[in-house]
Amino acid sequence: MTLRSTCAIVLKIVDHGESDKLVTFYSNNLGRITGIAKGAKKSRHRFVNKLELFSRLQMLYRPPRNPSGLLFISEAELLCAHLSLRTSFQRYVAAMYICELLLRFTRDSDPDPQLYALLQWALVSLDHADTPQKITALYHLQLLAVVGYRPEIQQCGHCGHPVGPGRSYLFIPGSGSLLCSACHHQQGPHSSRLSVQALKFLASAQMVPLERLNRLQLSRQTAAEAMEALYHYTFHLLQQDIHSWQAMRALAAVPARKKNAPSPGAIQATSGNCPSATT
Ligand SMILES: [Zn+2]
């Protein structure tokens, strides 16, 4: 069978046997899919410094023989290493959370170009900006919209009063909507209080196209508020926990660290230019 080519972003890698790796990635035309890279643990040529978390690759592959089989990864060319996502602890935690959300909300072989573009935007933005909380909150909000669970944050879901000063708001995970202070008298166990500032930010983020999202300004505290609400909503939707949330939540609570803080693990230096977020 002849080889095919695709652009793909690595979401997860696990060792397989003595010399192989199983790589789960999100591709622009294949969606989420897992492939086997034979000999990847030992190869000095085909895969070294390429099959790394968060890398964007041009991949040569053979499709699986049956729908539930593994794709065979023949070769990979590095398009963008997103190196700082593996050398900065803050960025690593945020990138892990972003990838886990995508893994949870997608199924195999169900491509969505919007999700690919959103993932690419998030990783490129994380790689170049020092605002992982803001980027994570924006990514999460956009992801929910693309997969059909856009939260209703423009007005109270009960009385319809538009969000504005003079009332406080709770975000209710069960309905994905707000309750204003005129309609509720106490906070429920899983509801999250959202400031008018956070709600205004999230509402404008829902209107802005991907290429302009980075222009939105958001304080760390407001980003933390938004992330908390989106997490509880997602937990309700998935009915299961997101493993990397605790690390992400801790990150949201600590002051910003300097760029290229201590590495999260053994990291190999890679290089590669990253032309744009629109491939
Ligand atoms: Zn109300």
Side-chain angles (χ1 to χ4, degrees):
M1 198 183 285
T2 52
L3 293 175
R4 298 181 189 177
S5 173
T6 187
C7 265
I9 294 171
V10 178
L11 302 175
K12 186 175 155 189
I13 305 176
V14 292
D15 288 345
H16 183 70
E18 287 203 356
S19 58
D20 305 338
K21 287 186 178 183
L22 292 180
V23 186
T24 302
F25 50 86
Y26 200 85
S27 142
N28 56 345
N29 61 330
L30 302 173
R32 190 190 81 180
I33 196 156
T34 299
I36 185 162
K38 290 274 186 189
K41 284 166 76 179
K42 293 178 180 165
S43 166
R44 288 272 170 268
H45 304 290
R46 285 188 302 155
F47 297 124
V48 73
N49 293 345
K50 295 173 185 170
L51 292 183
E52 303 284 350
L53 275 178
F54 321 129
S55 288
R56 188 160 63 89
L57 307 168
Q58 186 74 42
M59 225 168 45
L60 285 177
Y61 70 96
R62 264 203 318 268
R65 290 205 176 94
N66 57 64
S68 58
L70 289 170
L71 166 151
F72 177 84
I73 303 170
S74 174
E75 278 178 55
E77 183 192 337
L78 188 63
L79 297 175
C80 185
H82 297 137
L83 182 60
S84 79
L85 307 190
R86 288 180 275 120
T87 56
S88 149
F89 181 74
Q90 281 202 44
R91 294 175 187 191
Y92 176 81
V93 168
M96 285 299 284
Y97 187 63
I98 281 168
C99 288
E100 189 179 348
L101 285 173
L102 187 65
L103 285 165
R104 296 299 184 94
F105 275 109
T106 51
R107 55 187 176 187
D108 285 344
S109 307
D110 184 19
D112 184 333
Q114 270 187 288
L115 287 180
Y116 180 80
L118 179 61
L119 176 66
Q120 192 179 342
W121 168 83
L123 298 183
V124 168
S125 303
L126 267 185
D127 200 15
H128 291 97
D130 281 328
T131 52
Q133 294 83 1
K134 179 182 93 169
I135 290 157
T136 308
L138 287 172
Y139 168 83
H140 199 163
L141 183 76
Q142 299 275 334
L143 174 75
L144 288 166
V146 176
V147 298
Y149 296 107
R150 178 188 162 117
E152 294 301 327
I153 47 178
Q154 317 267 359
Q155 71 276 316
C156 172
H158 190 252
C159 70
H161 192 272
V163 167
R167 296 188 186 190
S168 63
Y169 296 88
L170 293 179
F171 183 72
I172 312 298
S175 61
S177 62
L178 299 173
L179 266 189
C180 77
S181 48
C183 296
H184 72 82
H185 301 290
Q186 57 184 21
Q187 189 162 353
H190 301 296
S191 55
S192 309
R193 195 166 291 281
L194 278 171
S195 62
V196 171
Q197 187 192 11
L199 287 166
K200 293 280 185 197
F201 170 83
L202 292 172
S204 45
Q206 285 182 327
M207 317 281 282
V208 168
L210 207 50
E211 60 274 14
R212 296 219 304 269
L213 267 185
N214 274 322
R215 296 183 195 172
L216 297 174
Q217 298 299 319
L218 181 70
S219 73
R220 288 171 54 86
Q221 191 188 341
T222 312
E225 239 180 77
M227 279 167 43
E228 188 85 22
L230 294 173
Y231 162 76
H232 286 296
Y233 180 39
T234 298
F235 181 88
H236 176 83
L237 292 171
L238 297 171
Q239 290 295 306
Q240 53 182 294
D241 205 5
I242 301 159
H243 299 312
S244 44
W245 167 245
Q246 289 307 330
M248 190 66 229
R249 187 186 205 182
L251 181 71
V254 296
R257 289 185 202 170
K258 285 190 178 162
K259 251 181 177 175
N260 300 328
S263 150
I267 292 181
Q268 291 174 302
T270 60
S271 64
N273 55 2
C274 202
S276 74
T278 53
T279 304

